[in-house]
Amino acid sequence: MTQTIDLTAYGYAQSARPEDGLEPGRVTGQHRDRYAVVSARGEGEAVLKGAFIHGARLREDLPCVGDFALLRPGEKGASGPALIERLLPRRTKFSRADLFGHSLGHLKANREQLVAANFDYIFIMSSLNRDFNVNRISRYLTQAWQSGAQPVVILTKADLVRNAQVQLDAVRKAAPGVPAHAVSSRSGLSLEALDEYLRPGKTAVLLGMSGVGKSSLVNALAGYEAMAVKAIREDDARGRHTTTSRRLLMLPSGAMIIDTPGMRGLGILRADEGLSASFGEIEELFAQCRFTDCRHEGEKGCAVLAALESGALSRERWDRYQAQARENAYFNDKKAHARQRAAWAKSLSARIRQDKKRDGFED
């Protein structure tokens, strides 16, 4: 580390004094078992202390980009890597379900993959090409609300369409109250709309599939080619992974961007609060049902069914909620989910038998 840096510019706001010999730093990147960090000493490398590795039980216990940590300077001074001794409490974090269940050494696979920590905004990015998908955006929003940060939907490549209002309206209908902007990194269209989020000391994390233009947006905001950019495939309007690792970048405005690799899928995980934030009006209907154990399938006095019949609640939005709630329940408690599914199947079979008997198909 070669230069003095004010860590408060990187969002550090801890009031407690570090232990003797330790200094605070922020993780700005990771490559295998080495981390890029920034501290008062400047930018440098760090590795995990052995006791830290053995004390970590789950993968989420390990550092991720955006984390603040206590560092011990390396034995070789500025030329040697620092040791990460302990993580400081995370203010916000974005996790997703690990759909593949990979473990890491002695660490238990807890189905959670930590993406980034300590950010203020989540930029959920979707391209205005053939890959535009409101349902996918809705899934990102649910997990984004769970993180504790403010989600913002960014529709990229606005230069490809004559008018993005139709897509913006679709997003705002699916995500009431969530800011949504259509921008173009190539032409600079509406990039100034992002200034209110990119203020000094603030951090935004970029999320989205490959080819949505995350790296292009970073370059446009930075004013130089900070990230490599690859062309998308013509056959499906998707791109290959340009960003292969997570990285925190300081912008000229004093804001920070965490760029992440494109996600092929996003699993809903421990998102009870996120579901309530995304579908608050639906969960309010539950309290209005006649029966507290209403399944919203045919019971008398069901507020959900009444809202569907009147058009106050769209079938599309109800189906979207049900799909995400089932997935959330599955990852939270597979055994409870299995029991719930078995009870649902038993109830369905009973209703089918009753219908057949009523219609004369059974003796």
Side-chain angles (χ1 to χ4, degrees), residues 5-12 26 28 38 43 68 248 250 256:
I5 288 180
D6 180 3
L7 199 59
T8 60
Y10 280 82
Y12 181 72
R26 191 170 195 187
T28 60
V38 61
E43 298 178 351
F68 289 102
L248 183 147
M250 177 71 76
M256 288 150 284

Side-chain angles (χ1 to χ4, degrees), residues 240-260:
R240 297 180 178 178
H241 292 296
T242 302
T243 303
T244 57
S245 61
R246 300 172 187 96
R247 172 185 173 189
L248 183 147
L249 178 72
M250 177 71 76
L251 298 177
S253 67
M256 288 150 284
I257 288 285
I258 298 178
D259 193 15
T260 64

